[in-house]
């Protein structure tokens, strides 16, 4: 082992490091993003980012002054030379919303998947489960502006009552846990979805979904039509 770096007061790190030249960008569970020297592990810069779960470089090679990262239901861009904030965008206000899959940069757009940990809340039999719905979001990489948002569940929510007399809402869930794949030849964006959190089950949970990644997928708040084919 050449060197090791520990996160003060943290028990885990949420994602792999990003390497740009001789420097490494990495985030730990201590709420900081660190810029380390690749050869020695010494800290060049630490960027406060409370709750940061992972950190990756999504910039093209010519953009060596910028690194994009994610924090729960928000996407951030910071200047790697001084740690200053370029932009911050809220993508989902759900209290259990999280970003576990790496965003994908292509053609000036940042495609950000959205998942959640609402199933943890659902372990409580008195929790009103569930309201989260997964989504794929397209952001302008320069400004952070949301260009479109496509929900993984298009059906309207319905209510029912469980054995404990608690109101249940569904369908829900179908989070996007991993990074999307882009096929430029077919103008397509592919990604997988997770399970439903509550009944009824729907066809776009536990599924592979393809979206047109163009300019007109839909404005913010609209749901993509999954009935078509590529």
């Amino acid at each position: 082992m050449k060197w090791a770096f520990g996160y003060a007061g943290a028990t885990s790190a949420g994602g792999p490091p990003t390497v740009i030249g001789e420097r490494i960008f990495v985030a730990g569970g201590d709420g900081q993003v660190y810029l380390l020297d690749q050869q020695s592990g010494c800290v060049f810069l630490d960027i406060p980012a409370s709750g940061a779960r992972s950190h990756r470089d999504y910039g093209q090679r010519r953009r060596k002054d910028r690194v994009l990262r994610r924090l729960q239901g928000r996407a951030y861009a910071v200047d790697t030379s001084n740690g200053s904030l370029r932009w911050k965008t809220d993508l989902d206000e759900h209290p259990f919303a999280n970003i576990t899959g790496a965003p994908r940069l292509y053609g000036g757009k940042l495609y950000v998947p959205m998942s959640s940990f609402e199933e943890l809340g659902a372990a409580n039999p008195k929790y009103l489960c569930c309201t989260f719905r997964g989504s794929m979001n397209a952001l302008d990489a320069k400004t952070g502006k949301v260009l479109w948002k496509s929900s993984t569940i298009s059906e309207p929510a319905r209510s029912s009552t469980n054995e404990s007399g608690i109101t249940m809402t569904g369908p829900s869930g179908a989070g996007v846990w991993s990074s999307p794949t882009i096929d430029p030849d077919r103008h397509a964006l592919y990604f997988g979805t997770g399970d439903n959190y509550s009944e009824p089950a729907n066809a776009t949970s536990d599924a592979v979904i393809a979206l047109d990644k163009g300019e007109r997928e839909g404005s913010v708040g609209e749901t993509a039509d999954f009935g078509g084919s590529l």
Side-chain angles (χ1 to χ4, degrees):
M1 181 181 293
K2 189 171 184 179
W3 55 263
F5 179 79
Y7 307 106
T11 58
S12 65
T18 293
V19 178
I20 301 178
E22 292 297 316
R23 297 185 177 185
I24 297 174
F25 293 83
V26 66
D30 61 345
Q32 298 286 115
V33 175
Y34 295 95
L35 171 56
L36 308 176
D37 179 78
Q38 187 178 31
Q39 299 301 317
S40 65
C42 292
V43 178
F44 282 120
L45 182 70
D46 62 306
I47 305 168
S50 179
R53 300 189 61 83
S54 68
H55 185 275
R56 289 189 178 93
D57 172 29
Y58 311 113
Q60 296 172 346
R61 186 168 298 179
R62 66 177 180 273
R63 294 179 181 171
K64 292 187 177 180
D65 66 332
R66 181 181 301 178
V67 61
L68 305 179
R69 58 185 173 81
R70 56 215 173 58
L71 169 63
Q72 296 184 357
R74 299 188 182 102
Y76 289 76
V78 298
D79 190 311
T80 60
S81 63
N82 56 26
S84 63
L85 181 68
R86 292 288 187 90
W87 53 257
K88 177 182 70 173
T89 302
D90 290 317
L91 297 175
D92 199 308
E93 296 183 355
H94 195 283
F96 284 97
N98 197 23
I99 304 174
T100 52
R104 183 77 66 183
L105 180 67
Y106 183 82
K109 298 184 182 67
L110 188 68
Y111 298 95
V112 185
M114 189 65 60
S115 60
S116 86
F117 293 139
E118 191 179 19
E119 287 174 304
L120 298 178
N124 181 346
K126 295 185 178 181
Y127 179 78
L128 278 66
C129 180
C130 283
T131 56
F132 174 80
R133 294 183 171 200
S135 64
M136 184 61 65
N137 303 264
L139 280 64
D140 184 302
K142 291 183 178 180
T143 66
K145 178 183 177 181
V146 178
L147 302 175
W148 53 261
K149 178 176 183 176
S150 291
S151 172
T152 56
I153 299 178
S154 59
E155 297 95 325
R158 288 173 280 174
S159 298
S160 62
T161 303
N162 67 8
E163 296 177 353
S164 301
I166 303 300
T167 300
M168 306 292 288
T169 301
S172 63
V176 185
W177 292 90
S178 58
S179 180
T181 296
I182 293 175
D183 184 341
D185 293 335
R186 303 189 73 179
H187 215 249
L189 185 75
Y190 302 96
F191 56 90
T193 62
D195 61 319
N196 284 119
Y197 296 169
S198 55
E199 295 182 346
N202 74 304
T204 51
S205 67
D206 298 294
V208 176
I209 292 176
L211 296 179
D212 187 314
K213 66 176 182 60
E215 297 288 347
R216 302 184 62 83
E217 287 92 339
S219 61
V220 177
E222 292 182 338
T223 302
D225 177 8
F226 298 111
S229 60
L230 291 172

